[in-house]
Amino acid sequence: GANTRMKKMEPFRSLYEHKNHKPFVFGKVVRVRGPRALILTPYNTKVIIDVSEIPQPVPLQTGTVVRAIGEWEDDIFYSQHILVR
């Protein structure tokens, strides 16, 4: 949508950048609701990840450790690749 296009434009990019800036997150799954999971990072930060963009189903379960690569959009991390341990 419009937000996706605007965050790629130089004058607006800083308004859309997440405080984390990193293209990855990792941590332990605390709660799962549909394609989204709340994970707790090793730094005790809570992060919501969304795995709906991954082509194959991902078995997210409470207590599993995940490493995800993707992009931030607002406060949600949209995972494009994920490793579940």
Side-chain angles (χ1 to χ4, degrees):
N3 283 324
T4 302
R5 289 190 301 275
M6 288 184 70
K7 75 178 179 180
K8 293 179 183 177
M9 300 167 103
E10 189 56 44
F12 304 108
R13 185 175 295 151
S14 64
L15 297 173
Y16 287 89
E17 288 180 344
H18 191 272
K19 58 188 173 225
N20 192 329
H21 299 292
K22 296 180 181 171
F24 62 89
V25 295
F26 57 96
K28 185 181 252 187
V29 176
V30 185
R31 183 177 65 220
V32 178
R33 288 202 178 141
R36 292 190 176 174
L38 177 66
I39 66 168
L40 185 62
T41 71
Y43 307 105
N44 287 325
T45 303
K46 292 180 180 175
V47 175
I48 297 173
I49 63 170
D50 186 300
V51 296
S52 62
E53 295 181 15
I54 298 176
Q56 297 181 1
V58 179
L60 293 177
Q61 295 178 351
T62 302
T64 57
V65 176
V66 297
R67 292 180 184 165
I69 298 171
E71 297 181 340
W72 289 98
E73 189 170 317
D74 298 321
D75 288 332
I76 298 174
F77 186 81
Y78 287 86
S79 179
Q80 296 161 347
H81 303 283
I82 194 164
L83 173 65
V84 178
R85 294 191 328 184

